[in-house]
Amino acid sequence: NAGVTQTPKFQVLKTGQSMTLQCAQDMNHNSMYWYRQDPGMGLRLIYYSASEGTTDKGEVPNGYNVSRLNKREFSLRLESAAPSQTSVYFCASREDRVSNQPQHFGDGTRLSIL
Amino acid sequence: GQQLNQSPQSMFIQEGEDVSMNCTSSSIFNTWLWYKQDPGEGPVLLIALYKAGELTSNGRLTAQFGITRKDSFLNISASIPSDVGIYFCAGPRTTSGTYKYIFGTGTRLKVLA
C-alpha cells in the first residue's frame, strides 16, 4: 500500500517556466489537498478537492491551478513559475470530507525556482 | 487567518530527557492532531484527539486535548535520537461542511546523544 505518492521528488525551474506536480493516492479517499511548506511558516493550504470533480481555493492559491483528474489523482500546476514559489509542496488525502478523519501526506516535492 | 501557535519553536535536549510542547488557538477546536515530520519526508500522524480532556498515548508519546478546547499538549518520555524532527499540531476548520486543517508552525526537536 503506497498511500500518497508525489512526483517528482525534486525539480529546478527557471522563472517563467511551467510545471505540473503530480499526486496520487490509493486509499480511496474522497478529499485531497495541496500544501506548501516554507521555513518558519508551517504548512499552508493552496487548494483542495473535497470530492472528484470539485476544487476550491485554500489560503495561498495565487499563481497555482489544480485538476482533480479522477478520485485517485490531484495535480498542481504552476503556469509561470516565480522565485517566491520556491518551496516544498505536500499533497495529502483524507477519508471523508465531513468527518474528523486526519490527513495522510506524501513525501513532498522540493521545488526551486531560479 | 486563524493561527495555531506552537511552543517552543525549537529545543535541544539530551537523550533520555522528557519533552513537552504545546499548541494554542484563539478558537475552539473539536479535534486536535499531532504530526511528526522527519527530515526530507512528509508529516506522519502520531496522535489524534477528539474529546476535550482526552489523554491518549502512542508508545512514549502522550497527548492531551485541553479542557478549554483551545489548546493541546504533547509529551515525549525518555527521548531517543530518532525523535529528532519537526512536530506539528493541527486542527480542523469547516467551510460549508468541508474539513480543512490548520497547521501550527512546528516545534523543531533536536536530541543530543
Side-chain angles (χ1 to χ4, degrees):
Chain A
N1 187 347
V4 179
T5 303
Q6 292 184 236
T7 56
K9 294 188 184 302
F10 302 93
Q11 184 70 48
V12 178
L13 296 176
K14 294 181 179 179
T15 297
Q17 286 185 316
S18 61
M19 171 75 186
T20 298
L21 280 59
Q22 307 288 349
C23 174
Q25 52 92 9
D26 61 4
M27 296 174 282
N28 201 36
H29 287 172
N30 285 321
S31 300
M32 298 186 73
Y33 307 79
W34 276 105
Y35 292 88
R36 60 178 289 172
Q37 184 179 32
D38 301 298
M41 300 190 74
L43 292 157
R44 292 185 294 169
L45 183 64
I46 304 171
Y47 269 94
Y48 66 100
S49 170
S51 62
E52 184 179 354
T54 67
T55 61
D56 287 287
K57 295 179 180 180
E59 183 183 356
V60 288
N62 291 344
Y64 305 95
N65 286 301
V66 290
S67 295
R68 184 73 182 269
L69 305 172
N70 47 56
K71 192 171 185 178
R72 289 187 66 249
E73 298 173 289
F74 188 37
S75 62
L76 178 71
R77 183 162 178 84
L78 287 70
E79 290 290 352
S80 179
S84 61
Q85 294 177 305
T86 293
S87 187
V88 182
Y89 292 85
F90 287 100
C91 177
S93 71
R94 189 169 160 272
E95 180 177 318
D96 188 336
R97 72 182 178 97
V98 294
S99 74
N100 286 347
Q101 293 301 305
Q103 296 171 328
H104 300 265
F105 286 84
D107 284 338
T109 293
R110 284 143 188 84
L111 184 61
S112 294
I113 315 297
L114 305 177
Chain B
Q2 193 172 18
Q3 297 289 327
L4 291 181
N5 299 309
Q6 285 191 247
S7 179
Q9 289 186 330
S10 63
M11 53 195 314
F12 289 81
I13 61 169
Q14 292 286 337
E15 183 178 359
E17 288 184 349
D18 295 342
V19 176
S20 293
M21 62 188 77
N22 67 73
C23 186
T24 61
S25 169
S26 57
S27 304
I28 291 173
F29 283 136
N30 57 19
T31 298
W32 283 99
L33 305 176
W34 283 95
Y35 286 86
K36 183 195 176 192
Q37 184 179 23
D38 290 327
E41 298 184 11
V44 174
L45 182 69
L46 297 174
I47 293 177
L49 302 163
Y50 297 108
K51 185 178 179 181
E54 180 181 355
L55 189 70
T56 298
S57 294
N58 178 6
R60 293 178 296 105
L61 278 64
T62 301
Q64 184 165 22
F65 194 140
I67 291 294
T68 65
R69 295 170 62 190
K70 292 184 176 182
D71 55 12
S72 181
F73 309 89
L74 177 68
N75 296 311
I76 305 173
S77 62
S79 58
I80 60 178
S82 63
D83 289 334
V84 68
I86 305 176
Y87 292 79
F88 291 101
C89 62
R93 179 173 60 189
T94 57
T95 303
S96 301
T98 300
Y99 271 72
K100 295 182 290 185
Y101 279 94
I102 303 167
F103 286 80
T105 53
T107 292
R108 187 180 298 272
L109 179 64
K110 297 189 178 182
V111 180
L112 306 175

